[in-house]
Amino acid sequence: MKERLEQVFSAHAGTSAELIPILQQVQEEFGYLPEEAMESIARFLRVPASRVYAVASFYAQFRFSPMGRHKVSVCTGTACHVKGADRVLDGVERVLGVSEGETTEDGEYTLETVACIGCCGLAPVLTIDDEAHGRLTPQGADRLFAKGEDSRQ
Amino acid sequence: MKKDTRSLLVCQGSMCISGKSRAIQEALEKKVAGTQMDGDVEVKLIGCHGFCQQGPLVIVEPEATCYTGVTVEDVDDIVQSDLRDGQVVERLLFHDPETGSPIASYHDIPFYGAQTKLLLRHCGLINPEDIDDYLGVGGYEALGSVLERPDGREVLAELKASQLRGRGGGGFPAWRKWEACLDADGDEKFVVCNADEGDPGAFMDRSILEGDPHAVLEGMSIAGFTVGARKGYIYVRAEYPLAVERLRVAIDQARRRGYLGSDILGSGFSFDVEVFLGAGAFVCGESTALTLSIEGKRGLPKAAPRPRTTEVGLFDKPTLLNNVKTFAFVPLILAQGGEWFARIGTEGSKGTATFALSGHVVNCGLIEVPMGITLRKIIYEIGGGVPEGKAFKAVQTGGPSGGCLPESFLDTPVDYDSLLQAGSMMGSGGMVVMNEDTCMVDVARYFLQFTERESCGQCVHCRLGTKQMLTILEEITRGEGKPGDVEFLVQIGEAVNAGSLCGLGQSAANPVLTTIRYFLDEYEAHIVEGRCPARSCKALISFQILPDKCIGCMLCAKACPVDAIAGERKSVHVIDQGKCIRCGMCEEACPSRYSAVERTSGSLAEGGEEA
Amino acid sequence: MRVHDLTIDGVAVSAPEGTTVLDAARKKGIYIPHLCDRPDLKPVGVCRMCTVEVEGKGLVISCKTPVRDGMVVRTESEGVSKVRQVALELLIADHDSDCLTCAKDTNCSLQRVARHVGVDSPRLARIRRERDRRPLDTSNPFFDFDPNRCILCGICVRTCDELQNINAIDYTFRGTKTLIAGFGNRPRIETNCESCGECVVRCPVGALVPKDSRQPSKLVRTICSFCGCGCGMLLGVRDGEIVSAAGDFKNPASRGRLCVKGRYGYRYVNSPERLTTPLVKRDGEFIPVGWDEALDLVAEKFSESMGDSFATIASAKCTNEENYVVQKFTRVVMGTNNIDHCARL
């Protein structure tokens, strides 16, 4: 871990204003923010560890536990909402057997909601690893994962 | 661009990209390269062309032919028929929904007809990843001429003459901020572009960053020169990877060509821009929270009274903070003159407004209209009305800070003051149309859920008030509302708006207050009758199979995830209400020619009578 | 310094430039309800309780609004009461209601505000409901943290930052999930908290309370005996026993502040293991003796070890003056420069 962190730190001067970009890069590197890494960041930037945690826990982007191999984000923007995003989310939760914010037991999927990915013309939308799937119905969502599972086998 | 050259413009806004427009572009390039046309035809990517509903789009210029819903399989036809033989591919054209006749030029499509594209003038025309394209349409000329002037006072005068109001939503006169920042003491100042477009249902800023990033950079550089700043930041949502990528490409190109960096165009003026990725906090759209976020802190808005950001902003230095659209307007205003700009729009709101039109509307997309246009014209003329023959119910503007306006407000002119007066607001440009199937209590609940999640948690009213309003709204949509709830919602809502610390909290109750004001009957139906008039609230609806319509095809039974539907093939199916989870899969599965699944709300004993 | 003349609820008030309306009112004995303001901390304006109406300006928070000449301030108006009554009810609905068994009962800012502002009972009843309870943090040996009583005023966070510079705790997460916590939301004892208790003293409600919450029957003003700093303290005494220690805000040296030892280290006084007479070792066993006898023995032994066979280690528990005397004694009487000082309290 130490080497990977130093790799990230090497591109920074070590001023406290770099906290958020560093957290982003560390998360990019590890998939989440391990406590040990946050403590190293605090030492590198000479800011209190409590502040690193305070900032990391404030922003929705940061996570303190590893993610599944695939990230599923159901858009719950206004356009998606009025076009039935709740039902799509229900459907996905049912298919994957997890609730929003959770990761499937096999570590395959992490299910999240996002407050608008700006693809309102495609509403309702979900993304799987940044690939958007639009104009969904609960059944369509079912099929999306059924198909996805087949293709990986 | 050579004369006589024809251009194949492949829209690569985010929506067309999710329709595989990158593959379309590659296929077009490959196809063209293999023909004798190579050299006479250029294939290039463009930012959002606006007509997202019909994407992916391929535009042929100079004819302005607009191909809609293009797939990779259509590439052969476009190249062979249109480019080689001069025959427009009719099946890919937009067809008038009324007459059914094809329309070749996008200029003739009603969606484009009522628009006035100023801000979006380059979106869908130039390649956002090629600075030469931007230079080809007069880009950076405004900056060049500004840099020849002794100081920023002339820019300020133009801006003042234009009467441009900040496009972030509040509508504060832009020149006032610029002047305040210019007059603020300090050897170090900053220019910050707010691209933290967080309103759900809004994608204007993203489309501009994706389609015309240099206009934003040029506007920021001009701002830097005017107020005396040497450093700029663009605060972009991390959820917008494409916008970030295009911005970085643009910044890199601008630096290499001397439009950013030290000694810009030999003028001695230095200005550089850094992209800062937001980390997921809606409240960071608020100026003080945004600057704290760049400083590496929690995005907590500062309580008023406090010094203005133009005096004490980023790193406690004087800071000019404007929205993407405000900066993107600047080069145009300087090129055409402030007075020219002030001739467009209304008395109090000059220029154009950009909206992301979405929801229950035939034509979703990115639009730009002159201020003062009516909501009706936007929704019906540009938007093509409400699809599937459904009735219009409301239009929402201003995102979580705005409100829902009913049909009686359709002739309201769209400008800062009129919308505010109606109980909504301009906001940064989301416009969501809602049809009769939309439950307005649920819409209020939806927005409160958003605000409650995004509240920074500092002040009591916003942290706990949004939570309480949300809980009450949840109870109402579950049929657990109590008499007096509407009054409590109004009292709490008014206190939250009056007492909260920042703009997010001070407008948090708007979705509740406007829906109560205009759709009180829906609240009462939920609370008093336990009925959702829009038949949308899950706890208050039930599904039944109509015996006279069901043919026993089993499709619904197969679709039901909880095996709540019983019935043999070719005999009428029945839903076990005890098992039913009201997911609506049966309704969806039932072929529309039978429509045997009925959705009702209210007492079943009364035979499912609906409003 | 420039002085501003204003009126608060019709009472003429004069206050120097830079004073906040809340401070000016406080000095004049006018109570404006507030929860997150502390005179020794920077105002943040998050509780919204100190909202007042200023003529021509509307509703403002008095903790951040500076006084101005001619200002007309009203602490009561329809607008004011609407804003703060709802805020109060929201806080109460989100707060434990077992005041009688709370250590802060009768000494609680929320109670005081509630008495002053009053509630709309039907409305409060509507919004009061079963809450998810958050776990208590009882890891610190001297005090407990109960997030279910916390009103998120942030006074503890600002104390730890502005006054103590320790930054053991901060706001974490956001919205209704906001929690005052240390790094990684670990138990307090596993953070860099030094247990100074300054946050506990300042907590306006029962969220941070000392484990030892016996109320004293009288207070004794004294100086902390732990080190040479000389912090002023008020020892709480009950039945001849010290049951509490508090910083003396009137003491010019310490201005009310104490460290962990001064604040929580008083139990040794009543400890049965505490030595109360000198002990002299005879035949391998410690025998209690009188002071004269003990000092005679020390003097006798000292005189056998004059010069460099002698060394002194002085204590940080002594004052500067005492330490001066020690070094003087060592050099002049004992004739050696072998002097050290623990200076590591």
Side-chain angles (χ1 to χ4, degrees):
Chain A
M1 178 178 283
K2 207 175 153 219
E3 276 167 27
R4 290 159 80 187
L5 284 173
E6 261 155 28
Q7 184 74 28
V8 171
F9 295 163
S10 65
H12 295 272
T15 62
S16 59
E18 290 166 314
L19 177 54
I20 291 173
I22 288 177
L23 286 170
Q24 286 167 332
Q25 285 160 28
V26 168
Q27 176 155 301
E28 180 93 342
E29 181 68 33
F30 296 98
Y32 70 111
L33 295 173
E35 284 197 0
E36 204 184 320
M38 287 192 280
E39 287 177 306
S40 297
I41 294 170
R43 282 192 297 274
F44 174 63
L45 297 180
R46 288 184 291 272
V47 298
S50 62
R51 163 133 163 243
V52 174
Y53 185 71
V55 169
S57 62
F58 182 84
Y59 295 97
Q61 184 185 15
F62 300 119
R63 31 190 321 124
F64 299 137
S65 56
M67 286 246 296
R69 279 177 284 280
H70 303 282
K71 184 169 87 171
V72 181
S73 303
V74 178
C75 179
T76 54
T78 319
C80 288
H81 177 75
V82 301
K83 289 196 167 177
D86 280 359
R87 293 170 57 211
V88 172
L89 179 61
D90 282 354
V92 177
E93 286 181 340
R94 234 179 4 251
V95 178
L96 295 182
V98 291
S99 298
E100 182 200 341
E102 295 175 354
T103 301
T104 53
E105 251 172 43
D106 59 2
E108 199 63 22
Y109 295 104
T110 295
L111 177 61
E112 291 181 340
T113 59
V114 54
C116 191
I117 55 167
C119 284
C120 310
L122 300 174
V125 189
L126 66 75
T127 62
I128 303 176
D129 297 334
D130 294 333
E131 193 183 334
H133 302 268
R135 298 186 184 125
L136 288 171
T137 60
Q139 272 195 310
D142 269 12
R143 283 194 289 272
L144 205 57
F145 290 99
K147 200 175 69 188
E149 269 156 26
D150 288 347
S151 69
R152 256 188 308 284
Q153 277 160 7
Chain B
M1 200 187 298
K2 273 194 292 177
K3 252 196 184 147
D4 308 329
T5 302
R6 296 176 74 199
S7 301
L8 275 173
L9 311 180
V10 187
C11 180
Q12 289 195 11
S14 282
M15 261 177 271
C16 286
I17 284 181
S18 57
K20 315 269 183 284
S21 67
R22 278 188 172 135
I24 295 168
Q25 180 179 349
E26 276 169 30
L28 280 170
E29 278 167 353
K30 216 184 264 170
K31 188 79 190 167
V32 170
T35 65
Q36 292 177 338
M37 291 175 278
D38 196 12
D40 299 326
V41 174
E42 60 162 0
V43 178
K44 74 177 182 185
L45 74 98
I46 51 170
C48 181
H49 201 268
F51 207 5
C52 307
Q53 186 74 41
Q54 297 287 332
L57 302 176
V58 173
I59 312 287
V60 185
E61 295 282 9
E63 292 86 350
T65 311
C66 175
Y67 290 121
T68 61
V70 179
T71 64
V72 174
E73 288 74 45
D74 299 323
V75 162
D76 283 3
D77 267 8
I78 294 175
V79 173
Q80 282 168 7
S81 174
D82 188 327
L83 293 188
R84 196 186 60 193
D85 304 337
Q87 281 288 319
V88 171
V89 188
E90 207 180 287
R91 66 181 175 85
L92 294 175
L93 296 178
F94 175 77
H95 289 70
D96 188 297
E98 274 169 38
T99 62
S101 53
I103 303 174
S105 163
Y106 60 79
H107 296 299
D108 300 327
I109 299 175
F111 173 80
Y112 292 95
Q115 297 194 48
T116 305
K117 294 212 176 190
L118 302 184
L119 200 55
L120 303 175
R121 65 199 185 283
H122 299 145
C123 288
L125 179 69
I126 64 167
N127 178 350
E129 294 182 6
D130 185 354
I131 191 171
D132 284 320
D133 251 27
Y134 183 66
L135 294 172
V137 291
Y140 288 112
E141 281 174 15
L143 176 64
S145 75
V146 164
L147 292 181
E148 286 165 11
R149 303 176 200 187
D151 57 34
R153 292 284 166 191
E154 285 177 49
V155 176
L156 209 57
E158 272 323 314
L159 207 56
K160 193 170 175 179
S162 77
Q163 301 177 49
L164 175 71
R165 291 169 72 169
R167 258 39 180 182
F172 193 73
W175 68 272
R176 279 187 197 274
K177 259 194 197 177
W178 288 46
E179 186 179 59
C181 192
L182 167 61
D183 292 340
D185 287 331
D187 46 0
E188 196 179 11
K189 296 180 184 178
F190 294 102
V191 170
V192 177
C193 174
N194 185 350
D196 190 39
E197 182 176 55
D199 284 13
F203 50 89
M204 308 72 53
D205 295 353
R206 189 194 61 180
S207 300
I208 292 166
L209 294 174
E210 288 175 4
D212 196 12
H214 285 287
V216 181
L217 296 178
E218 186 178 359
M220 288 179 71
S221 303
I222 292 170
F225 176 79
T226 307
V227 304
R230 287 183 299 275
K231 175 91 197 240
Y233 288 89
I234 304 184
Y235 190 100
V236 196
R237 285 179 85 197
E239 290 90 334
Y240 286 176
L242 183 64
V244 172
E245 189 190 311
R246 295 226 170 115
L247 263 177
R248 287 192 168 140
V249 168
I251 289 172
D252 188 47
Q253 290 177 348
R255 278 181 192 151
R256 276 191 274 132
R257 299 292 188 88
Y259 295 106
L260 276 181
S262 52
D263 192 18
I264 294 174
L265 301 174
S267 64
F269 168 67
S270 300
F271 186 79
D272 207 354
V273 171
E274 194 177 307
V275 176
F276 188 95
L277 288 189
F282 176 73
V283 70
C284 287
E286 198 272 352
S287 60
T288 57
L290 188 150
T291 52
L292 284 174
S293 183
I294 295 179
E295 291 171 23
K297 297 172 186 160
R298 289 164 67 86
L300 304 177
K302 293 179 189 165
R306 57 170 170 79
R308 287 193 186 281
T309 305
T310 45
E311 284 150 27
V312 182
L314 184 60
F315 301 115
D316 293 335
K317 307 287 183 194
T319 301
L320 176 68
L321 191 144
N322 277 138
N323 173 268
V324 171
K325 295 181 285 288
T326 314
F327 283 122
F329 261 128
V330 170
L332 177 72
I333 288 172
L334 291 180
Q336 305 278 342
E339 284 178 16
W340 166 84
F341 186 83
R343 282 197 291 273
I344 305 160
T346 65
E347 184 61 34
S349 306
K350 300 300 184 189
T352 52
T354 320
F355 287 104
L357 186 60
S358 67
H360 296 130
V361 62
V362 173
N363 302 323
C364 287
L366 176 70
I367 63 163
E368 185 172 0
V369 290
M371 292 276 189
I373 190 173
T374 62
L375 286 165
R376 186 184 301 280
K377 205 161 173 184
I378 293 179
I379 295 165
Y380 287 92
E381 210 160 298
I382 299 173
V386 181
E388 296 165 27
K390 303 266 185 185
F392 169 89
K393 183 181 270 184
V395 56
Q396 211 281 346
T397 61
S401 305
C404 298
L405 300 179
E407 198 169 4
S408 55
F409 282 83
L410 278 178
D411 293 310
T412 304
V414 170
D415 60 62
Y416 291 97
D417 311 305
S418 307
L419 287 179
L420 207 59
Q421 210 178 351
S424 186
M425 66 184 281
M426 191 80 149
S428 80
M431 185 178 281
V432 186
V433 179
M434 299 169 187
N435 71 11
E436 57 185 320
D437 294 339
T438 313
C439 170
M440 298 315 287
V441 184
D442 180 64
V443 166
R445 182 203 60 79
Y446 164 77
F447 279 112
L448 261 292
Q449 180 181 25
F450 177 85
T451 318
E452 191 258 353
R453 275 189 193 192
E454 295 297 336
S455 166
C456 78
Q458 264 192 114
C459 78
V460 174
H461 289 94
C462 180
R463 180 181 73 241
L464 298 174
T466 55
K467 171 84 183 163
Q468 283 294 352
M469 288 191 283
L470 172 63
T471 309
I472 293 175
L473 289 166
E474 282 171 348
E475 287 171 354
I476 295 176
T477 54
R478 280 202 307 266
E480 297 160 13
K482 298 185 176 78
D485 276 359
V486 169
E487 289 71 25
F488 288 146
L489 282 173
V490 171
Q491 289 163 8
I492 297 172
E494 285 176 350
V496 167
N497 277 6
S500 288
L501 186 153
C502 78
L504 171 63
Q506 284 159 11
S507 56
N510 284 358
V512 184
L513 297 176
T514 57
T515 49
I516 288 178
R517 191 190 317 174
Y518 300 125
F519 302 96
L520 182 62
D521 53 334
E522 291 199 30
Y523 280 85
E524 283 170 348
H526 283 78
I527 296 169
V528 180
E529 301 167 49
R531 180 174 64 87
C532 173
R535 292 174 299 168
S536 145
C537 292
K538 229 166 141 183
L540 300 179
I541 56 167
S542 55
F543 291 92
Q544 295 163 81
I545 297 171
L546 301 172
D548 54 325
K549 289 195 177 165
C550 177
I551 59 147
C553 69
M554 310 269 305
L555 280 177
C556 60
K558 268 186 225 153
C560 179
V562 291
D563 291 328
I565 303 181
E568 299 295 309
R569 179 166 292 280
K570 297 201 173 162
S571 68
V572 172
H573 294 353
V574 179
I575 299 175
D576 179 344
Q577 298 297 335
K579 276 191 189 169
C580 176
I581 57 167
R582 297 163 180 124
C583 65
M585 296 269 235
C586 50
E587 188 185 36
E588 205 183 292
C590 184
S592 59
R593 58 186 184 280
Y594 305 124
S595 298
V597 178
E598 189 193 37
R599 180 194 282 246
T600 57
S601 181
S603 168
L604 270 176
E606 289 163 21
E609 280 295 311
E610 357 166 327
Chain C
M1 188 185 273
R2 195 175 156 203
V3 170
H4 295 264
D5 296 316
L6 59 154
T7 67
I8 302 177
D9 291 339
V11 178
V13 176
S14 299
E17 172 101 17
T19 312
T20 65
V21 170
L22 180 59
D23 277 333
R26 190 162 21 213
K27 287 198 181 89
K28 194 76 182 173
I30 301 168
Y31 175 63
I32 298 177
H34 61 271
L35 290 169
C36 68
D37 186 78
R38 279 278 315 184
D40 51 3
L41 298 171
K42 286 185 203 134
V44 286
V46 296
C47 78
R48 321 303 292 169
M49 210 56 83
C50 71
T51 300
V52 295
E53 198 161 306
V54 172
E55 217 171 81
K57 279 192 145 184
L59 300 180
V60 298
I61 47 171
S62 57
C63 68
K64 285 199 81 185
T65 303
V67 293
R68 285 275 170 273
D69 250 333
M71 204 177 220
V72 178
V73 180
R74 289 165 63 205
T75 70
E76 303 284 343
S77 78
E78 202 184 315
V80 168
S81 82
K82 188 150 94 181
V83 162
R84 69 184 183 196
Q85 193 173 41
V86 167
L88 171 67
E89 288 162 17
L90 290 169
L91 280 173
I92 295 175
D94 194 51
H95 193 89
D96 280 353
S97 51
D98 53 344
C99 286
L100 282 178
T101 51
C102 173
K104 272 286 174 66
D105 189 30
T106 72
N107 191 23
C108 166
S109 297
L110 188 57
Q111 284 180 338
R112 183 169 186 202
V113 170
R115 268 197 307 277
H116 185 88
V117 173
V119 298
D120 176 307
S121 305
R123 190 166 60 204
L124 179 58
R126 178 67 180 96
I127 63 175
R128 205 164 193 170
R129 46 173 75 79
E130 202 60 32
R131 295 183 300 141
D132 291 338
R133 294 197 63 79
R134 288 173 159 187
L136 270 56
D137 184 347
T138 56
S139 64
N140 188 290
F142 307 115
F143 59 83
D144 294 337
F145 172 59
D146 182 355
N148 305 296
R149 297 190 200 275
C150 176
I151 56 169
L152 295 173
C153 65
I155 285 177
C156 53
V157 173
R158 283 177 282 149
T159 301
C160 201
D161 175 29
E162 292 173 30
L163 298 180
Q164 297 300 101
N165 268 296
I166 301 293
N167 298 96
I169 47 171
D170 205 333
Y171 281 104
T172 63
F173 299 91
R174 73 177 186 215
T176 45
K177 294 198 173 69
T178 309
L179 178 71
I180 308 289
F183 178 79
N185 195 10
R186 293 176 184 165
R188 291 285 193 286
I189 197 66
E190 289 172 33
T191 68
N192 58 327
C193 169
E194 297 188 350
S195 305
C196 66
E198 291 292 334
C199 56
V200 180
V201 178
R202 285 172 177 75
C203 180
V205 292
L208 283 165
V209 290
K211 280 198 156 72
D212 184 357
S213 61
R214 286 174 296 169
Q215 294 296 306
S217 52
K218 69 170 178 179
L219 294 177
V220 178
R221 174 164 282 131
T222 181
I223 300 294
C224 179
S225 62
F226 253 106
C227 78
C229 288
C231 297
M233 67 196 307
L234 295 164
L235 288 176
V237 182
R238 177 161 164 171
D239 193 22
E241 200 182 319
I242 298 174
V243 296
S244 69
D248 180 2
F249 280 87
K250 289 188 176 142
N251 183 295
S254 56
R255 281 175 284 182
R257 288 160 69 184
L258 290 175
C259 71
V260 55
K261 302 189 181 189
R263 191 180 310 283
Y264 299 118
Y266 53 79
R267 287 180 181 231
Y268 75 94
V269 176
N270 298 104
S271 169
E273 289 173 11
R274 181 179 163 206
L275 297 185
T276 47
T277 65
L279 299 175
V280 171
K281 203 174 205 173
R282 287 191 189 128
D283 303 329
E285 243 181 276
F286 282 112
I287 312 291
V289 296
W291 279 105
D292 284 343
E293 190 185 341
L295 288 173
D296 282 350
L297 182 64
V298 169
E300 187 193 319
K301 295 283 183 190
F302 273 18
S303 56
E304 288 169 11
S305 313
M306 303 290 276
D308 285 344
S309 62
F310 185 85
T312 302
I313 296 182
S315 168
K317 293 189 76 161
C318 304
T319 63
N320 281 346
E321 292 80 354
E322 286 162 344
N323 275 318
Y324 176 81
V325 171
V326 168
Q327 67 86 25
K328 203 75 183 171
F329 171 81
T330 308
R331 289 187 219 276
V332 177
V333 180
M334 300 305 290
T336 178
N337 288 328
N338 292 342
I339 306 164
D340 199 4
H341 182 281
C342 77
R344 292 167 279 267
L345 214 126

